[in-house]
Amino acid sequence: MFIVPDLSFSLFSLFNVKPYGLMLVVGLWLFSWHFIASGSRQLALSRSELLDIIFVGLLAGVLGGRLFYLLESGFLSCGDLICGLSSGGLSVLGAIIAVPLALYGYAWAKKISFLNLMDQICLHAPLLDMYGRIGCFFAGCCFGLEWDGFFSIAYQFESSGQLVGVPLFPIQLVAALLFSVMWSFFVGFDRVFRQKPSGSMFMLYLFCASLIRFVLDFWRGDRPEIFLWGCTKYQFLGLGIMLFSGTFLIYLFVSAKKRSS
């Protein structure tokens, strides 16, 4: 069994540094580096414009992800929306819904192709998801079921409902691994299908991210109340996103094939 210590520390006695926030910063830096490199070529936008897009998306992702996390946890207040964020607590599905809505408004205002923009963002978005889940692991949130099997983990501190010393399934690390594989697949997919239709990477990300959330939720130790057929309402939301994105992805490739023939 692997023991997870509290890795929070004070920086120059001025403020506390939490591992969750630190992992988000690392993930955001890597995402930004890749997005600016590819976005400057594919979108023909300046570095400052791309940084504005990152800021809008980040703000929407944090607020949307935090709101859904609090709804899942069963409590919500204006203070909770930001307070305690450094200790963990962001919903992937919440960010998936909030970010496109915010960037659609931005793209419309700036007269940028929304689908092309989302394709470039979603190409590297799994990096953010991966480091976010690593952050969850060290913060103790989004923990797995009680499990005393191979590579079980136990926390030396209590956070978000998990108990100290209780063996748990490392669901956060499994999610991080899947998002890592997802990003590698996306990079390869993007290189192979150079002439893919606009919006295809966006739809592929929605489908894969929702699928990961739907499947892994069965092994979550902090699952919300079951809604129907052994699934939570957020799993049904994920299924809805999968159905929409999968159908639209097929439509995009079929339409592109008809136009080329």
Side-chain angles (χ1 to χ4, degrees):
M1 183 171 62
F2 180 74
I3 303 298
V4 184
D6 185 359
L7 298 180
S8 304
F9 62 93
S10 297
L11 186 62
F12 304 119
S13 301
L14 296 177
F15 56 90
N16 291 327
V17 177
K18 302 287 187 178
Y20 183 80
L22 185 61
M23 288 297 103
L24 284 183
V25 170
V26 173
L28 178 61
W29 180 81
L30 288 173
F31 165 80
S32 300
W33 189 84
H34 286 286
F35 172 67
I36 291 175
S38 62
S40 59
R41 296 191 306 268
Q42 302 297 328
L43 301 175
L45 297 176
S46 66
R47 182 183 179 88
S48 61
E49 289 174 317
L50 293 170
L51 287 173
D52 288 341
I53 291 171
I54 292 173
F55 176 77
V56 172
L58 176 64
L59 182 61
V62 170
L63 292 178
R66 183 65 173 170
L67 178 61
F68 266 69
Y69 172 79
L70 293 174
L71 290 174
E72 290 174 2
S73 302
F75 60 91
L76 177 63
S77 69
C78 293
D80 291 329
L81 196 58
I82 300 298
C83 295
L85 182 60
S86 60
S87 297
L90 288 175
S91 167
V92 174
L93 281 181
I96 286 175
I97 294 172
V99 171
L101 291 176
L103 290 179
Y104 178 81
Y106 182 89
W108 177 81
K110 296 293 184 177
K111 295 180 172 55
I112 302 171
S113 171
F114 171 69
L115 290 181
N116 288 340
L117 172 60
M118 291 306 300
D119 279 345
Q120 292 304 309
I121 290 174
C122 291
L123 173 60
H124 304 295
L127 282 172
L128 281 172
D129 297 318
M130 178 179 69
Y131 279 92
R133 288 311 182 194
I134 295 174
C136 288
F137 172 75
F138 288 113
C141 64
C142 306
F143 54 91
L145 292 170
E146 292 188 23
W147 185 67
D148 197 13
F150 176 72
F151 199 56
S152 60
I153 63 172
Y155 288 94
Q156 288 185 336
F157 58 96
E158 185 174 354
S159 173
S160 302
Q162 49 84 2
L163 301 177
V164 177
V166 175
L168 303 172
F169 183 70
I171 191 70
Q172 309 101 316
L173 295 182
V174 174
L177 176 62
L178 291 177
F179 280 119
S180 174
V181 173
M182 180 176 163
W183 179 61
S184 301
F185 169 72
F186 278 15
V187 172
F189 180 85
D190 184 62
R191 291 177 178 174
V192 172
F193 295 96
R194 292 287 188 180
Q195 303 300 320
K196 56 187 176 297
S198 297
S200 56
M201 188 63 68
F202 178 28
M203 293 299 113
L204 186 61
Y205 172 81
L206 290 179
F207 183 88
C208 293
S210 299
L211 177 62
I212 290 174
R213 172 63 193 268
F214 175 82
V215 173
L216 294 189
D217 258 24
F218 289 110
W219 284 273
R220 288 272 292 265
D222 60 344
R223 292 184 76 196
E225 183 180 352
I226 299 301
F227 178 68
L228 185 65
W229 299 328
C231 299
T232 67
K233 54 186 175 181
Y234 299 102
Q235 285 178 293
F236 276 101
L237 177 60
L239 281 175
I241 295 175
M242 288 168 56
L243 179 62
F244 166 77
S245 57
T247 302
F248 198 64
L249 183 62
I250 294 173
Y251 167 77
L252 288 174
F253 275 96
V254 170
S255 298
K257 186 175 182 180
K258 287 181 178 179
R259 288 194 298 268
S260 62
S261 61

